[in-house]
Amino acid sequence: MSLLISCVIAVPIYLVVVNSFKTQSEASDLGLSLPSVWEIWNNYSEVFVSAKIPQAVWNTTILTVISVFFIVIFCSLSAYFIQRKDNRVSKLIQSIIIAGLILPSSVITTYMLMFDLHLVRTYLGVILLYIAGNYAFLTYVYIGFFHSIPRELDEAAIIDGVKPYGLFWKIIFPLLKPVSASVLIIAFMTVWNDFTTPFYFLNTASRFTLSLTVYFFFGQHSSDWNLVFADLVIVSAPVILLYLFLQRYIVEGLTAGAVKS
């Protein structure tokens, strides 16, 4: 069963990669055979130029790196405060987070708000949307992990003279490496692959992200499957590499809080 499920996932990936190296006529068959002529340089170089990949990579990297950085910081701090404190403020924040998980978002009202704040077609506006959109769920991921860190650790650090600011950054935050890796990969994949937010709020040619290049590139080259697949490989490669690098932390980070110590 595991082998069958793996094939269901692996075959489409193999199809995309193999056909990105074929000629236009061979790729149009959407076959699984190896290419008779490997068009490695021609396909990928043409995509880089015609789809303006360098500019899209720069735009996507700025949005992703800054958004993920602040998501990790804000979510970890909020989760620590909520899980460790038992007062009205922490309960209020937790209620707001629950509302953020339940209530649906509206593109129209969000666009009107962003327009009034002069944040449409700006990096700052899109980054704020990514932080807000991922904040609720990923904060709860951190809260689950905090159950595995005993409160006695906090008390011991305070007795040893550690200040409240240093308690989190010097003692607690280093222990969050597994769950932070999970949050990082989830947030990275969400932001890097996102299409809707840049399409509505950053829809200007000079600030296209990689997901938008696939959309517009496919519109111009709908019959050139070799180029479309090459574009998909370029867009997906950073996420796959990051996942392979952090995969040993992901399951550990998501399941560590399942059993309360």
Side-chain angles (χ1 to χ4, degrees), residues 68-88:
V68 171
F69 174 80
F70 283 106
I71 286 171
V72 171
I73 298 300
F74 291 157
C75 291
S76 59
L77 284 171
S78 299
Y80 179 71
F81 179 79
I82 292 171
Q83 202 276 327
R84 289 299 201 254
K85 301 293 183 180
D86 187 17
N87 53 38
R88 293 182 179 179

Side-chain angles (χ1 to χ4, degrees), residues 10 33 49 63 77 95 98 195 211 255:
S33 60
V49 175
L63 296 175
L77 284 171
S95 300
I98 293 174
F195 172 80
S211 58
T255 59

Side-chain angles (χ1 to χ4, degrees), residues 38-109:
W38 291 80
E39 296 286 350
I40 300 176
W41 173 254
N42 291 335
N43 288 346
Y44 283 85
S45 61
E46 184 174 348
V47 170
F48 259 87
V49 175
S50 58
K52 300 180 180 179
I53 293 297
Q55 181 65 43
V57 169
W58 173 251
N59 294 332
T60 308
T61 302
I62 290 176
L63 296 175
T64 304
V65 171
I66 297 177
S67 299
V68 171
F69 174 80
F70 283 106
I71 286 171
V72 171
I73 298 300
F74 291 157
C75 291
S76 59
L77 284 171
S78 299
Y80 179 71
F81 179 79
I82 292 171
Q83 202 276 327
R84 289 299 201 254
K85 301 293 183 180
D86 187 17
N87 53 38
R88 293 182 179 179
V89 177
S90 64
K91 292 179 180 178
L92 175 61
I93 296 175
Q94 191 166 7
S95 300
I96 295 174
I97 293 174
I98 293 174
L101 288 171
I102 298 174
L103 297 177
S105 60
S106 173
V107 174
I108 297 176
T109 54

Side-chain angles (χ1 to χ4, degrees), residues 107 130 193-203 209 211-212:
V107 174
Y130 282 137
N193 294 326
D194 183 49
F195 172 80
T196 305
T197 304
F199 183 77
Y200 287 111
F201 299 96
L202 203 65
N203 195 354
T209 59
S211 58
L212 288 181

Side-chain angles (χ1 to χ4, degrees), residues 58-251:
W58 173 251
N59 294 332
T60 308
T61 302
I62 290 176
L63 296 175
T64 304
V65 171
I66 297 177
S67 299
V68 171
F69 174 80
F70 283 106
I71 286 171
V72 171
I73 298 300
F74 291 157
C75 291
S76 59
L77 284 171
S78 299
Y80 179 71
F81 179 79
I82 292 171
Q83 202 276 327
R84 289 299 201 254
K85 301 293 183 180
D86 187 17
N87 53 38
R88 293 182 179 179
V89 177
S90 64
K91 292 179 180 178
L92 175 61
I93 296 175
Q94 191 166 7
S95 300
I96 295 174
I97 293 174
I98 293 174
L101 288 171
I102 298 174
L103 297 177
S105 60
S106 173
V107 174
I108 297 176
T109 54
T110 303
Y111 187 91
M112 293 175 62
L113 175 62
M114 299 293 285
F115 184 82
D116 291 338
L117 296 174
H118 304 287
L119 293 175
V120 176
R121 296 187 180 88
T122 65
Y123 289 135
L124 177 60
V126 175
I127 290 170
L128 292 175
L129 289 175
Y130 282 137
I131 295 173
N134 291 276
Y135 176 78
F137 170 69
L138 295 180
T139 296
Y140 263 100
V141 173
Y142 271 112
I143 290 175
F145 187 84
F146 272 115
H147 288 299
S148 65
I149 302 178
R151 294 174 182 265
E152 290 76 13
L153 184 64
D154 301 31
E155 298 170 357
I158 293 173
I159 293 174
D160 289 339
V162 178
K163 301 298 182 181
Y165 179 82
L167 172 62
F168 180 80
W169 295 114
K170 295 181 180 179
I171 306 298
I172 301 299
F173 193 74
L175 299 176
L176 302 179
K177 183 185 293 184
V179 69
S180 292
S182 300
V183 169
L184 191 151
I185 187 66
I186 293 171
F188 186 95
M189 291 176 62
T190 301
V191 177
W192 189 275
N193 294 326
D194 183 49
F195 172 80
T196 305
T197 304
F199 183 77
Y200 287 111
F201 299 96
L202 203 65
N203 195 354
T204 178
S206 62
R207 295 189 176 180
F208 278 173
T209 59
L210 285 170
S211 58
L212 288 181
T213 65
V214 175
Y215 175 76
F216 289 106
F217 188 79
F218 180 77
Q220 299 171 0
H221 300 271
S222 57
S223 60
D224 301 328
W225 284 103
N226 56 327
L227 302 181
V228 173
F229 287 141
D231 196 8
L232 288 173
V233 172
I234 294 171
V235 172
S236 305
V239 178
I240 296 174
L241 293 175
L242 182 66
Y243 176 80
L244 294 175
F245 181 72
L246 297 177
Q247 62 178 332
R248 68 190 184 97
Y249 295 111
I250 293 175
V251 176

Side-chain angles (χ1 to χ4, degrees), residues 12-32:
I13 297 176
Y14 171 81
L15 184 145
V16 170
V17 174
V18 167
N19 282 280
S20 70
F21 298 132
K22 294 181 179 180
T23 62
Q24 179 183 1
S25 58
E26 281 188 302
S28 62
D29 296 332
L30 301 179
L32 297 177

